[in-house]
Amino acid sequence: MPHTKRRRLVTTVVAVSLGATALAACGSSDDDSKADSGPVSLTYWAWAPGMDKVVDLWNKGEGKKDQITVTVKKQASGDTLVTKILTAHKAKNGPDLVQAEYQALPTLVSNDAVADISKSVGDAKSKFADGVWQQVTLGTDAVYAVPQDIGPMMFYYRADLFKKYGLKVPTTWDEFAQDARQLKKKAPDLDLTTFSANDSGLFAGLAQQAGAKWWTTSGDKWKVAIDDAATQKVASFWGGLVKEGAIDNQPMYTPAWNKALDTGKQIAWVSAVWAPGTLTTAAPDTKGKWAMAPLPQWSASENVTGSWGGSSTAVTTDSKHQAAAAKFAAWLNTDGEALNALAKESGIYPAATNAQTSGAFATSPDYFSNQPDFYTKAAEIAKTTAPSAWGPNVNVAYTSFNDAFGAAAKNKSDFTAALQKMQDDTVADMKKQGFEVAQ
């Protein structure tokens, strides 16, 4: 197998028609069936709360029957976990399974840290929307993980205050901007929402909705298009609202932001399906006053949303029991009992479509008891999630976003210039790492 990062990942991403890729050949064990006969013990690195309780169901049921025991090792999430996985892989002592965010998969694949489990996950593909499944295949015939949870984006608003100020629930971004300006005229001390320059995942999801594909391949080279027309449109839109003072420009998840939501100083929030949990803590006094609607569209004829967050269960190339690990990964993310437990213990919104309106999701969140069709509507929105296009250094792009957009939001300066900085930083890092990048 080629040993440069460029060749490892480009071969994987480009060779859809080749069936088993070079990476898949490296990542699959020829001795799976032999290695998985008899008692098998697997280790699963995960950060989701309560995962050990979910895994206990496996160990007492399917796992006991198949003599496959899984032990959860609680980890930090995000870049910290990715770094730990890669460090363990270099030492050839990684775990059998890892909870991997979708945007981290290309990095793990390019470092040959996760295996192709396409031959071991049965009919798992049929359980997921196409756009979700694409995130674990990277557009190839290989399967690098089983989807676990997703974060389709939605629009949240204070229904009572929208009525009070005569605002229309926006179906387009133009209407969203009109609402922001109208609210400022009627109540200068209030804001429709804020642009949070420390939430790169939110911006990435908005760009995806607009049609952006930040990382793609061209021949045997990567193409980076963070500053493409779609993303420029998103940056210009939000930068324009910040510059004119139509919305706030403070970060989210601070005491000040919580207070703004709880007191009605901010009356809307562009977020994802997991928002009820955040609102329960951030704005407890406004329970039952919020409503959820689809994300505004760039054109009235469109029906698409972005994604903010989500993770999968991947099998590592270090595992000596890849088939057994893949069987557990499929059970964890498709079995009804497991999905109910994940919802109860870990608070996830399942990627599996059959679980999005049943079990824990058969009734609306307690915070949204005023909207009984919350999860029915959420499931419909989830089907419209735009496909993503992640690359091998998302962490660098996100860090650059925080720095460049943070300064632009604070100074109310040009967001498109910040976008160019994000593009330049990402390309420079890829070249430094040895990836070939198309100009």
Side-chain angles (χ1 to χ4, degrees):
M1 175 178 170
H3 292 287
T4 67
K5 290 181 178 179
R6 175 185 64 82
R7 288 300 301 168
R8 275 203 295 263
L9 191 51
V10 169
T11 298
T12 301
V13 174
V14 175
V16 179
S17 62
L18 298 183
T21 64
L23 179 56
C26 284
S28 299
S29 170
D30 292 334
D31 298 323
D32 265 357
S33 58
K34 179 180 179 180
D36 291 342
S37 60
V40 170
S41 295
L42 305 174
T43 301
Y44 179 25
W45 285 4
W47 72 83
M51 187 63 76
D52 54 334
K53 295 180 181 179
V54 183
V55 171
D56 279 346
L57 296 175
W58 165 268
N59 289 333
K60 294 174 181 177
E62 290 293 316
K64 185 176 182 180
K65 182 178 66 176
D66 296 335
Q67 294 186 297
I68 301 171
T69 302
V70 179
T71 301
V72 176
K73 299 291 186 180
K74 188 70 178 291
Q75 306 293 323
S77 60
D79 293 343
T80 301
L81 178 56
V82 173
T83 300
K84 186 173 181 179
I85 293 168
L86 296 180
T87 300
H89 174 60
K90 287 180 181 178
K92 301 186 185 303
N93 64 353
D96 297 280
L97 300 116
V98 295
Q99 185 179 2
E101 292 179 287
Y102 296 119
Q103 69 265 25
L105 281 176
T107 300
L108 297 175
V109 171
S110 70
N111 284 277
D112 195 22
V114 294
D116 173 13
I117 55 174
S118 56
K119 295 180 179 179
S120 303
V121 291
D123 65 345
K125 178 180 179 180
S126 65
K127 309 292 185 181
F128 306 95
D130 290 343
V132 172
W133 190 251
Q134 179 267 342
Q135 296 211 76
V136 298
T137 66
L138 307 186
T140 74
D141 290 336
V143 177
Y144 294 107
V146 180
Q148 185 163 101
D149 63 311
I150 56 174
M153 294 175 66
M154 300 158 187
F155 179 70
Y156 294 85
Y157 64 100
R158 282 282 300 273
D160 57 334
L161 297 182
F162 262 58
K163 182 178 180 180
K164 177 180 178 179
Y165 295 110
L167 304 179
K168 176 184 177 182
V169 179
T171 58
T172 66
W173 288 112
D174 282 344
E175 291 176 356
F176 177 93
Q178 291 169 18
D179 279 344
R181 296 174 183 125
Q182 184 178 336
L183 179 63
K184 271 296 176 188
K185 288 181 181 179
K186 293 186 175 183
D189 292 337
L190 304 188
D191 293 293
L192 181 68
T193 192
T194 188
F195 177 83
S196 182
N198 64 353
D199 283 283
S200 47
L202 169 59
F203 184 77
L206 291 171
Q208 288 168 16
Q209 186 211 20
K213 289 181 172 57
W214 285 358
W215 285 270
T216 55
T217 53
S218 176
D220 62 352
K221 297 181 179 180
W222 279 98
K223 182 178 180 181
V224 183
I226 293 174
D227 64 343
D228 65 1
T231 312
Q232 287 181 13
K233 178 170 63 176
V234 174
S236 296
F237 176 81
W238 289 94
L241 291 177
V242 167
K243 186 174 183 178
E244 71 177 85
I247 61 173
D248 199 3
N249 63 341
Q250 301 302 310
M252 299 188 293
Y253 309 116
T254 64
W257 180 74
N258 292 347
K259 184 178 180 180
L261 293 182
D262 206 27
T263 61
K265 189 179 184 303
Q266 285 185 24
I267 69 170
W269 184 26
V270 175
S271 187
V273 70
W274 41 258
T278 301
L279 289 171
T280 299
T281 302
D285 293 340
T286 58
K287 175 183 175 181
K289 297 180 180 180
W290 290 78
M292 180 269 283
L295 206 62
Q297 303 294 309
W298 287 104
S299 169
S301 62
E302 294 177 335
N303 182 24
V304 62
T305 194
S307 181
W308 184 6
S311 61
S312 64
T313 307
V315 175
T316 72
T317 51
D318 292 325
S319 176
K320 294 180 173 60
H321 308 288
Q322 291 175 16
K327 185 173 184 178
F328 165 76
W331 172 88
L332 179 65
N333 300 305
T334 62
D335 178 81
E337 185 181 17
L339 291 168
N340 278 332
L342 281 171
K344 178 183 177 182
E345 304 293 346
S346 305
I348 73 155
Y349 181 74
T353 55
N354 67 316
Q356 292 169 0
T357 55
S358 63
F361 303 98
T363 57
S364 65
D366 184 53
Y367 192 91
F368 281 81
S369 57
N370 57 307
Q371 191 170 7
D373 66 342
F374 183 95
Y375 283 123
T376 301
K377 183 176 289 187
E380 290 300 316
I381 293 172
K383 294 176 183 177
T384 71
T385 303
S388 62
W390 301 114
N393 63 340
V394 174
N395 61 321
V396 172
Y398 277 13
T399 298
S400 181
F401 170 87
N402 292 346
D403 294 340
F405 277 81
K410 181 179 180 180
N411 301 327
K412 297 187 177 182
S413 58
D414 185 8
F415 275 27
T416 57
L419 188 64
Q420 183 62 55
K421 178 71 163 55
M422 190 177 168
Q423 166 82 13
D424 293 344
D425 288 348
T426 304
V427 170
D429 175 76
M430 289 185 70
K431 290 181 177 179
K432 183 179 179 181
Q433 289 192 61
F435 293 100
E436 290 192 24
V437 182
Q439 300 299 321

